[in-house]
Each structure stands twice: as C-alpha cells, then as structure tokens.
Amino acid sequence: MIVSTLADMASVSVNTFILTAGLGALALGESPGFAAPNAGYEFIRSTFDFANAAFGIVGTLFLGTAAIKATGMSRVVGWFLLASLPLGFLQLAEVGLLIPWTLIVDTWVTPLAEIALQVLIGTALWATLRHRQEAKHSEPGPGAIRNHPLKSRVPG
Amino acid sequence: MKLSNSTLLAAVLCCVLCVVLSVTAISLDQYTLSRIDPHNRMALCLDNYYNLAHWAYLLYDLFHLFVIAVFALVLAETTSWEAWMGAAL
C-alpha cells in the first residue's frame, strides 16, 4: 500500500503543481510553457492512477489477509480491507474517465472509505497501546520480588 | 521488531489528522463542484478551494504512508509475511 499511496501522491502532485499551474496560466492569458498542458499531463496522471489502483488492490488483499489473522480490532480492520476490495476494482475501471459515476466514486465513495479505514486503524493502534500499558502495569517488576513479605522468611 | 509506545501514539494522532484532512478535502471539493462545472478545468484550476482540497489530499497521503507502515509493523510482530507484502505494495 506504500507504493500505491506514493503513486496517488505523484498523481495529486502532477495535478497540483504542474497541470493546475499550466491551465491557470492559460486561463489568465499567460504562456503555460507548452502547447497543450492538458493532454500530456492527463496521460501521466492516468498512469499514476492506474498504478495506485492496481497496487492498492494487491496491497489491500495482502494486508487484509494478514490483519484477519490477528485478534481484536486488527481483525476488524482486516475484514474491512477485504470488504473494500470491490472499490479497488471500481477505481481501476474508472481510470481516465470523467463521467457522473466516476465523479461520485472520486469525491464521495473513496474519501469516505478512507475515513472509515483511518478510524478503524486508529482504534486498532489505540487498542494495542492500551493493551501494552495494561500488560506493563499487571506484570510484577523486580522490586515486587525483592520487597515481597515472604522473602524475609526464607531461611539462609 | 517491537515499536515504541510513542510511535504508536504518533500513528494514532496521524489517523486523527488523516480523518480531519479527508473531511476538509471532501468539503472543499463539494463546495467547488457546487459552483463550478467539473468539466471546466480552467475555472477549477483558478479556484482556491479546489487547490486547497488537493493540498489536503496530498497531506493526507503523507500521513497515510506513516499510518500504514506502523500498522504493518504492528501486524508483523504477530503475523507473517503478508503484512510486509501488503504494506509494501
């Protein structure tokens, strides 16, 4: 999922730093620096979007499989990841398309699924943190044995 | 590899930031698309809210990278190679 996220970052970066700047200059009547800023960068963005979706599907599958082997909230994250696999295929199908249903997928479905995933991962990590804290407090430290009342009665 | 508690706490905070950034990006995107036709790329490029939405998505991706890496490392403590594969891809 790291490669997938890097591809997403590259796609958003091309849009934010290059395509938007070029089209903005064109709209203001200034020189964009190249003849057709839209065509070439749209192709680059589509390539990154395809990489994002393709690596995302495989990464989600592996991470979901690993997470369902765990316990507690991590298992819930795993099931959610596996349940969100169809969304990955939908993202793969809509690469380079700008029609009403792809707009809904891009602006509503994908971000909302990401919010749900972040909430679940955050809860799982928080649960792990709490579990560690409880384990740390419950285990007896070396001082507990040293100061144990029975220790002074041991002969020798 | 055992992660420190502070790393886990940082990842939890990054999760919260990711949620905030996602909500911001969705809101700004919807506000922009309610005023400007999505096919009018030139008008979209000149809109500040549209650009802010993309900055929010970019920052979201940055924090998401860290969260996924930490989650995979937590899973890798107990489960097998799938966690590494999933996180890497």
Side-chain angles (χ1 to χ4, degrees), chain A:
Chain A
M1 290 184 83
I2 286 175
V3 174
S4 165
T5 309
L6 286 174
D8 190 39
M9 277 182 78
S11 172
V12 177
S13 299
V14 166
N15 189 47
T16 309
F17 300 119
I18 304 174
L19 187 60
T20 303
L23 287 177
L26 207 62
L28 293 171
E30 297 164 2
S31 170
F34 22 79
N38 208 0
Y41 290 121
E42 277 299 332
F43 178 73
I44 295 171
R45 278 195 66 202
S46 296
T47 309
F48 282 132
D49 287 342
F50 182 82
N52 172 29
F55 282 109
I57 289 170
V58 186
T60 302
L61 186 64
F62 276 112
L63 199 64
T65 312
I68 59 170
K69 287 180 181 174
T71 53
M73 273 308 290
S74 299
R75 183 182 283 243
V76 179
V77 175
W79 283 115
F80 182 82
L81 282 169
L82 293 182
S84 66
L85 268 178
L87 181 61
F89 287 105
L90 213 59
Q91 287 171 340
L92 199 64
E94 57 117 24
V95 169
L97 293 176
L98 191 64
I99 46 179
W101 75 266
T102 63
L103 205 64
I104 291 169
V105 169
D106 280 340
T107 57
W108 279 114
V109 182
T110 307
L112 287 177
E114 283 169 350
I115 288 173
L117 180 65
Q118 290 300 327
V119 169
L120 288 175
I121 291 178
T123 313
L125 291 174
W126 183 251
T128 308
L129 201 60
R130 288 284 304 274
H131 180 73
R132 278 190 188 180
Q133 293 290 335
E134 283 167 11
K136 194 178 171 184
H137 287 302
S138 63
E139 73 183 19
I145 297 168
R146 203 182 305 126
N147 302 326
H148 199 277
L150 284 176
K151 193 174 182 290
S152 58
R153 294 179 193 171
V154 176

Side-chain angles (χ1 to χ4, degrees), chain A residues 98-100 103 107, chain B residues 29-47 50:
Chain A
L98 191 64
I99 46 179
L103 205 64
T107 57
Chain B
D29 241 357
Q30 291 306 313
Y31 178 63
T32 308
L33 295 176
S34 68
R35 292 179 297 118
I36 301 169
D37 178 32
H39 295 278
N40 189 355
R41 296 298 304 271
M42 283 202 182
L44 283 175
C45 289
L46 291 174
D47 191 82
Y50 184 72

Side-chain angles (χ1 to χ4, degrees), chain B residues 51-72:
Chain B
N51 290 328
L52 271 176
H54 279 95
W55 271 100
Y57 279 128
L58 203 58
L59 281 174
Y60 165 88
D61 279 339
L62 269 176
F63 290 121
H64 182 65
L65 275 177
F66 179 66
V67 170
I68 286 294
V70 171
F71 184 61

